[in-house]
Amino acid sequence: MSCDHNCSGCKSACDKNKSLLIQTNPKNHIKHIIGVVSGKGGVGKSMVTSLLAVELMKQGKKVGILDSDITGPSIPKAFGLGDGVEGDEELMYAPESKNGIKIMSVNLLIKDPTAPVLWRGPILGNAIKQFYKDVLWGELDYLLIDMPPGTGDVALTVFQSIPVDGVIIVSTPQDLVKMIVGKAVSMCNQMKIKIVGLVENMSYMKCPCCGEELYPFGPSKLHECAFSYGLKALTKLPINPDLAKLVDNGKVEEADSSALAPVIKVIEEM
């Protein structure tokens, strides 16, 4: 009755101040959780997640990927996984890639990877929670969460339920994407999630004849976009047909991931 609806600094134990964060199982010891987000689909968010995991692995880190893009999962394909998930009465065991990156995705739980996942919001949210607390991740330096595009139910579930340390926002060099980045930034600010910085994907391509950098989508807007929203400009990634072939063949771990080394440096400085 005496509530003034000002939750800042309030010590009341009402529902508004009740934490929705869940605990992972006692067998997991995860040091850092980083989300990779975008305001829209098609910008290469899953590609950035995969390459970031590969670069972390090359630097000697123990890495896992939680594929929270339930309706459009692509991480298992990139790493050549598709044999299902083992488990017991208590836990599911996260399958490992060739080089030991642990991965959990809905595509590892269904027989036909092309079958649509026709689930409503609450079921999607519960699946994400189970991927975090009911999967044996073990000892991890980093758990990367490949977020679904947009700012819908699943993104809210991740940010409210899982203790995310920070997020990387992925963009491409188009004016429309700059506007969409603003939506992702606003979501993170409202949810009080720290933003590591901005990665611009498909920023340029190298001419196969002379090596000159070409800009099929126009000049890079990485620094302009980052400045507009007060973000760190982390790195630019090129269009690389060879990388696409590696992903199609489930061999993303063989890709050159060195362009994301500056991103890891910023994460570690956090």
Side-chain angles (χ1 to χ4, degrees), residues 37-41 43 149-151 169-170 180-181 183-184:
V37 308
S38 64
K40 65 182 295 296
V43 299
T151 56
I169 298 178
V170 181
I180 300 299
V181 167
K183 293 182 181 293

Side-chain angles (χ1 to χ4, degrees), residues 169 171-174 197-201 203 219-229 231-237:
I169 298 178
S171 72
T172 54
Q174 290 113 335
L198 186 65
V199 170
E200 186 177 81
N201 192 30
S203 183
S220 169
K221 292 181 173 60
L222 173 63
H223 293 281
E224 174 189 337
C225 188
F227 179 79
S228 297
Y229 298 111
L231 306 177
K232 286 186 178 181
L234 296 175
T235 191
K236 296 185 293 185
L237 299 178

Side-chain angles (χ1 to χ4, degrees), residues 42 61 67 148 231 261:
K61 308 298 184 182
D67 187 357
L231 306 177

Side-chain angles (χ1 to χ4, degrees), residues 116-170:
V117 180
L118 304 176
W119 297 348
R120 294 189 182 274
I123 300 177
L124 295 172
N126 285 334
I128 298 303
K129 293 176 183 178
Q130 282 192 288
F131 284 177
Y132 177 62
K133 68 183 181 68
D134 294 335
V135 169
L136 182 61
W137 295 104
E139 297 278 348
L140 291 183
D141 295 305
Y142 290 93
L143 177 63
L144 305 180
I145 302 181
D146 182 25
M147 300 283 286
T151 56
D153 281 349
V154 175
L156 290 174
T157 297
V158 171
F159 288 155
Q160 289 181 327
S161 304
I162 299 176
V164 177
D165 294 303
V167 299
I168 296 164
I169 298 178
V170 181

